Amino acid sequence: MRTDSSPGSLPAREHLPAAGAGTPVLDVVVPVYNEEKDLGPCVRRLHEHLTRTFPYAFRITVADNASTDGTPRVAAGLAADLGTVRSVRLEQKGRGRALRTVWSASDAPVLAYMDVDLSTDLNALLPLVAPLISGHSDLAIGSRLARSARVVRGAKREFVSRTYNLILRGSLQARFSDAQCGFKAIRRDVAQVLLPLVEDTGWFFDTEMLVLAERAGCRIHEVPVDWVDDPDSTVHIVRTATEDLKGVWRVGKALATGSLPLDRLGRPFGDDPRDRDLSGVPQGLARQLVGFCVVGALSTLFYLLLYSGFRHFTGSQLANALALLVSAVANTAANRRLTFGVRGRGGAVRHQAQGLVVFGIGLALTSGSLAALGAASADPDHSTELAVLIAANLAATVLRFLLFRAWVFPDAEPTAPARASRLPEQAPRESRLPEPGPQESRLPESRLPESQLPEAHRPEPHLPDPCRAWSDATVRLQPVRHADTDHSRDAR
């Protein structure tokens, strides 16, 4: 998992201005591998649909993932026949590698991709990108699992898709409904910040991007789609599932340890400048209260279960102390991460020590309540004990939240998204590519020989100049990394 710093905070969402003539607003990437048969009809159908229905200038980019058949020839022919089609050739496979490479170099403010089989109805394309153009959302995905979606596919693929998304919800707390649909879009300013953090270069790429975007506070728009299974596609269930599970484990581990700088990606709240810098107003209190109440409810349930278990072996006072101690450690850890957003291991021991002091206050309240109950009744019922403990815990909970907020986690910054600064305005850049120097030679079709290609390339925090021009119908881009698992076309 990459832990290098991102280029900066996410900028405020703004409606994209009307583009000038010839300036593409949308760049649709079609990643392909050995698709000489379907590529031509797909791109021509997509081009005709965009020409007829899309109100902005657009570009279609065919990203060839090291095809060994006639796909490069077909792509070059399409680029020659259709002025808004470009072809990009990569020497290594990987859908994620293709998307990152093309999106990093694109100058279009909205970036999208779709599978070459066009299983998704193209009428969903404009609803997909409209929230990004308007500035309402940061990413958009087509969902085959939304309630109003209409899907035609076999039981095996239905089972695989739903199982995978259930795993994402259970392990990574993902709230989007469909991570695998090959129909997604993202704003370029958001992609510039997120792409350096995404490590996967294969099929898990877009899932990882969605999880990180959601954790960074990005708004993800979902579009129910009509989707028809491609009968010619193949599904490598075991290999795909294994690699996806590895990706889920890697991302989950990075999120749990706080090794990703997602807390620095917060964007300003809303479009009104007055919402971006409010001095003297406590922010994040409502969210912290909700998180604290959820953690508190689960901790109370955990505490009562422990107390009931310990009560079979010991007296009420000792059972209460043991149950409260165990639940207090879990409660402090959960509130540290979920309520107050403190990531990493720094200060964890001090926070637990302070949490134990708060635990002592809660112990005094609950123990005192039990002592008072024992003085009032020689042999109280178990249900009465639980009722008294619940009431005492409610009082202790209010005090615990105040102590956590003011003493244990005073440095937590729930208002980081509200105070995040916008990206600095960039000076206009020359869109024309520089002429080759004396040591460079312009090769036919802008292709580099294999001997000059680097063995590995990890994108720097600052992505390539997005304003680069397309100097030829076929552009040869360098591979991102070499250590990627081979994948044939997979329409999961």
Side-chain angles (χ1 to χ4, degrees):
M1 175 60 62
R2 295 179 181 173
T3 58
D4 51 320
S5 299
S6 61
S9 300
L10 293 171
R13 302 185 189 97
E14 295 179 355
H15 194 297
L16 296 177
T23 303
V25 170
L26 173 66
D27 192 349
V28 183
V29 181
V30 182
V32 292
Y33 173 71
N34 288 348
E35 298 286 355
E36 62 176 342
K37 177 182 176 182
D38 297 332
L39 179 58
C42 159
V43 172
R44 293 185 184 278
R45 178 184 164 196
L46 175 61
H47 181 271
E48 187 275 334
H49 177 84
L50 288 172
T51 302
R52 179 169 48 87
T53 65
F54 194 67
Y56 296 91
F58 64 88
R59 175 192 299 133
I60 301 174
T61 301
V62 179
D64 176 20
N65 288 333
S67 295
T68 57
D69 62 356
T71 298
R73 174 180 50 80
V74 175
L78 291 170
D81 294 342
L82 305 174
T84 55
V85 176
R86 297 292 183 267
S87 174
V88 174
R89 168 75 177 180
L90 290 88
E91 291 304 321
Q92 292 178 288
K93 286 189 267 185
R95 181 181 64 175
R97 172 180 287 111
L99 294 178
R100 174 164 45 222
T101 304
V102 177
W103 282 355
S104 298
S106 179
D107 59 346
V110 176
L111 311 168
Y113 93 90
M114 62 180 59
D115 292 333
V116 69
D117 54 18
L118 295 186
S119 294
T120 304
D121 184 10
L122 292 178
N123 287 327
L125 182 56
L126 184 55
L128 183 80
V129 302
L132 309 187
I133 295 175
S134 69
H136 175 269
S137 301
D138 302 300
L139 298 91
I141 64 174
S143 176
R144 301 163 297 181
L145 303 180
R147 184 162 299 182
S148 57
R150 297 186 297 178
V151 178
V152 178
R153 60 177 169 181
K156 181 177 68 174
R157 296 185 61 188
E158 181 78 11
F159 173 79
V160 170
S161 180
R162 290 189 178 274
T163 301
Y164 178 67
N165 284 280
L166 284 175
I167 291 175
L168 292 179
R169 287 174 175 254
S171 58
L172 300 178
Q173 290 79 49
R175 289 174 291 179
F176 46 85
S177 64
D178 191 353
Q180 294 173 305
C181 183
F183 195 71
K184 295 182 176 68
I186 185 173
R187 287 177 63 103
R188 179 167 60 96
D189 52 4
V190 178
Q192 288 177 326
V193 177
L194 285 180
L195 289 182
L197 302 178
V198 180
E199 179 177 345
D200 192 82
T201 57
W203 290 100
F204 189 70
F205 169 86
D206 41 356
T207 299
E208 184 174 354
M209 180 181 67
L210 287 174
V211 171
L212 299 186
E214 191 174 69
R215 292 299 186 95
C218 295
R219 181 176 292 158
I220 301 176
H221 177 72
E222 294 197 13
V223 178
V225 297
D226 297 342
W227 194 87
V228 180
D229 190 7
D230 180 10
D232 296 329
S233 64
T234 59
V235 179
H236 303 282
I237 297 180
V238 176
R239 183 173 63 185
T240 301
T242 301
E243 293 173 355
D244 285 345
L245 290 177
K246 290 180 179 179
V248 170
W249 170 259
R250 173 175 51 80
V251 173
K253 182 179 178 181
L255 293 174
T257 58
S259 59
L260 285 167
L262 297 181
D263 55 336
R264 298 201 295 270
L265 302 185
R267 66 164 67 256
F269 178 78
D271 296 323
D272 191 335
R274 294 172 298 178
D275 293 335
R276 300 173 191 167
D277 187 14
L278 300 177
S279 58
V281 179
Q283 299 285 324
L285 179 60
R287 184 190 65 79
Q288 288 183 348
L289 278 173
V290 172
F292 185 81
C293 289
V294 172
V295 173
L298 296 176
S299 298
T300 301
L301 179 60
F302 183 48
Y303 160 76
L304 293 175
L305 293 175
L306 289 176
Y307 176 81
S308 298
F310 291 145
R311 190 66 175 83
H312 291 294
F313 307 101
T314 184
S316 61
Q317 292 288 359
L318 182 58
N320 172 64
L322 292 175
L324 196 58
L325 175 62
V326 175
S327 61
V329 172
N331 180 276
T332 300
N335 276 306
R336 181 178 187 269
R337 177 65 179 86
L338 302 178
T339 302
F340 298 97
V342 179
R343 300 179 174 88
R345 300 178 181 178
V349 176
R350 175 176 59 84
H351 292 155
Q352 283 292 349
Q354 292 172 314
L356 289 178
V357 175
V358 179
F359 150 75
I361 298 175
L363 178 62
L365 286 174
T366 54
S367 297
S369 300
L370 286 175
L373 179 62
S377 176
D379 188 18
D381 295 336
H382 183 64
S383 58
T384 305
E385 287 185 349
L386 292 181
V388 170
L389 288 174
I390 290 174
N393 268 285
L394 288 177
T397 297
V398 176
L399 183 58
R400 185 184 305 121
F401 176 75
L402 296 176
L403 289 175
F404 273 177
R405 182 176 173 88
W407 181 49
V408 182
F409 306 108
D411 297 329
E413 296 187 359
T415 63
R419 297 196 307 266
S421 59
R422 299 183 57 176
L423 287 175
E425 297 291 336
Q426 295 183 357
R429 297 179 180 178
E430 179 66 35
S431 60
R432 182 175 300 174
L433 292 176
E435 294 298 325
Q439 296 181 354
E440 296 179 78
S441 59
R442 187 181 297 275
L443 299 179
E445 298 183 340
S446 300
R447 299 188 175 183
L448 297 175
E450 295 289 338
S451 60
Q452 296 184 17
L453 290 176
E455 297 240 347
H457 173 67
R458 297 175 68 92
E460 296 295 330
H462 295 280
L463 300 178
D465 186 355
C467 298
R468 58 165 296 181
W470 299 91
S471 59
D472 194 7
T474 302
V475 180
R476 178 69 161 243
L477 297 181
Q478 296 178 351
V480 178
R481 293 195 315 168
H482 72 284
D484 184 41
T485 305
D486 284 354
H487 281 291
S488 61
R489 177 173 153 207
D490 186 351
R492 290 185 291 190

